[in-house]
């Protein structure tokens, strides 16, 4: 059973930073592309960032580019998402997801999902 476990969320103030982690097990991690998505209350799940299996291709949501940074450590089977200069609008549950073949910005193309980690940003 493929497992993705997110961690690192919490309650922070506007302007603070967080580092989220997505630990992946039960798959050959180096062969999988990983994406981060988020879902705020009452809103659809939206793409945040994604990294290819090799780490050579990285994609960001245009609105988040410059504040968020995705990276992966294939030695630790973990993908990280650094969130800088957080804003109240960043409040959401953050999910990581994995898929083979190519990196994608579409949630429906990911077959494996974690349970999510809550990020709450106060003003």
């Amino acid at each position: 059973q493929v497992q993705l476990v997110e961690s690192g969320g919490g309650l922070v103030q506007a302007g603070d930073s967080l580092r989220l982690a997505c630990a992946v097990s039960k798959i050959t991690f180096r062969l999988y592309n990983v994406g981060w998505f988020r879902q705020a209350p009452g809103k659809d799940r939206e793409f945040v960032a994604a990294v290819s299996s090799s780490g050579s291709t990285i994609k960001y949501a245009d609105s988040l580019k410059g504040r968020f940074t995705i990276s992966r450590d294939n030695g630790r089977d973990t993908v990280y998402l650094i969130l800088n200069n957080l804003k109240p609008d960043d409040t959401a549950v953050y999910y990581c997801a994995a898929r083979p073949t190519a990196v994608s910005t579409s949630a429906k193309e990911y077959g494996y999902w974690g349970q999510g980690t809550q990020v709450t940003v106060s003003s």
Side-chain angles (χ1 to χ4, degrees):
Q1 187 81 3
V2 178
Q3 290 186 330
L4 291 85
V5 179
E6 302 94 337
S7 62
L11 173 62
V12 297
Q13 294 186 329
D16 286 350
S17 297
L18 281 174
R19 187 181 78 159
L20 308 184
C22 172
V24 183
S25 60
K26 308 295 178 65
I27 57 173
T28 306
F29 179 71
R30 61 181 174 80
L31 299 181
Y32 279 73
N33 308 278
V34 176
W36 283 96
F37 296 80
R38 68 184 185 182
Q39 188 165 19
K43 295 188 177 181
D44 293 334
R45 191 167 297 191
E46 67 171 339
F47 170 72
V48 174
V51 59
S52 64
S53 56
S54 66
S56 61
T57 299
I58 288 177
K59 296 180 182 288
Y60 293 101
D62 287 341
S63 62
L64 302 175
K65 198 175 297 185
R67 289 197 300 124
F68 291 7
T69 303
I70 190 171
S71 63
R72 67 187 292 155
D73 183 344
N74 282 356
R76 295 179 182 270
D77 291 359
T78 301
V79 173
Y80 302 98
L81 183 69
I82 297 176
L83 318 177
N84 289 321
N85 190 21
L86 281 160
K87 307 175 187 300
D89 284 350
D90 295 319
T91 295
V93 177
Y94 285 71
Y95 299 90
C96 64
R99 71 186 300 264
T101 61
V103 66
S104 173
T105 63
S106 173
K108 64 183 179 182
E109 295 187 353
Y110 286 82
Y112 302 112
W113 289 84
Q115 293 300 305
T117 185
Q118 176 71 48
V119 172
T120 303
V121 185
S122 64
S123 57

